[in-house]
Amino acid sequence: GEDVEQSLFLSVREGDSSVINCTYTDSSSTYLYWYKQEPGAGLQLLTYIFSNMDMKQDQRLTVLLNKKDKHLSLRIADTQTGDSAIYFCAERASGTYKYIFGTGTRLKVLA
Amino acid sequence: GAVVSQHPSRVICKSGTSVKIECRSLDFQATTMFWYRQFPKQSLMLMATSNEGSKATYEQGVEKDKFLINHASLTLSTLTVTSAHPEDSSFYICSASQGATEAFFGQGTRLTVV
């Protein structure tokens, strides 16, 4: 079945880079997403990548996709205290609207 | 990006009463809307998928008589938690999709049943 896994916690110092990892099992996934959720709030789409891409960069965010290993990562450069939140990866297969979310990684940025 | 608004953002209700949560797409027509439930410190669990003008499709294990979903227009879907109990307390999030594109998420509704 479909399954998306993430490590639960990550702690980094302000100014360092953060790397959040995600593994998925559905090989038909066409779109892979990263969402940010701040306490008590909904999900904010950060970035997404198509399965035919290896990398996507958007300002401080870099997404790497290893399709062979079904591994997705999100790198946040120059991490700030405002980046402290829960980060979810999600996958979606082409032609479906169903998102499968990962377990979420709680990022804590230390000043 | 497209905006999806949920109302209310927080609600407290007494056990045994029903609560309605609204999800609106503000600047686009949402042919499909989704309802998720999020338990504390856990991921989002898809509850149901609704298409405008038709019955919602519920995920396995979700009681359709307990969680009533109505998608009467292209901009509005509602989730009614009937005869709420404390175990229904949770964070409910909707998302809306316009055709075969990405879905946009509402800000969520925190339901507390006392």
Side-chain angles (χ1 to χ4, degrees), chain A:
Chain A
E2 306 146 333
D3 196 16
V4 181
E5 293 191 0
Q6 299 177 237
S7 52
L8 292 180
F9 298 102
L10 177 65
S11 180
V12 299
R13 293 197 177 278
E14 191 174 20
D16 288 349
S17 292
S18 308
V19 179
I20 302 171
N21 295 301
C22 171
T23 57
Y24 61 98
T25 57
D26 188 357
S27 57
S28 66
S29 295
T30 304
Y31 304 93
L32 295 137
Y33 303 87
W34 282 104
Y35 286 89
K36 177 183 180 183
Q37 184 181 36
E38 298 189 48
L43 273 68
Q44 174 195 355
L45 177 64
L46 290 177
T47 187
Y48 64 93
I49 190 169
F50 295 111
S51 60
N52 61 359
M53 299 168 64
D54 298 323
M55 186 184 87
K56 181 178 181 181
Q57 187 160 0
D58 184 0
Q59 299 183 344
R60 291 192 298 126
L61 306 178
T62 302
V63 178
L64 294 177
L65 174 61
N66 182 327
K67 197 173 179 182
K68 175 176 171 290
D69 294 337
K70 298 189 181 73
H71 182 266
L72 182 73
S73 68
L74 173 69
R75 179 176 180 271
I76 306 173
D78 187 25
T79 313
Q80 303 297 306
T81 54
D83 295 324
S84 292
I86 301 175
Y87 290 80
F88 290 96
C89 66
E91 60 172 358
R92 177 170 74 91
S94 177
T96 78
Y97 307 130
K98 187 173 179 180
Y99 285 60
I100 306 298
F101 283 86
T103 47
T105 299
R106 185 177 296 272
L107 173 65
K108 184 173 181 179
V109 182
L110 305 172

Side-chain angles (χ1 to χ4, degrees), chain B residues 4-74:
Chain B
V4 175
S5 176
Q6 259 182 265
H7 178 80
S9 57
R10 289 177 181 272
V11 59
I12 301 173
C13 71
K14 289 186 177 180
S15 188
T17 62
S18 295
V19 174
K20 181 185 284 188
I21 303 169
E22 293 186 347
C23 178
R24 292 181 185 273
S25 56
L26 298 186
D27 50 4
F28 68 100
Q29 293 186 325
T31 51
T32 308
M33 286 188 171
F34 308 85
W35 288 95
Y36 293 84
R37 182 173 181 177
Q38 185 180 30
F39 292 99
K41 299 183 180 179
Q42 292 190 30
S43 188
L44 281 73
M45 179 191 79
L46 179 65
M47 298 173 67
T49 302
S50 73
N51 292 295
E52 185 265 338
S54 61
K55 289 184 178 180
T57 302
Y58 290 80
E59 296 296 302
Q60 192 172 10
V62 178
E63 298 176 62
K64 60 180 69 176
D65 295 330
K66 173 85 175 164
F67 299 100
L68 299 179
I69 291 171
N70 183 280
H71 191 165
S73 78
L74 284 170

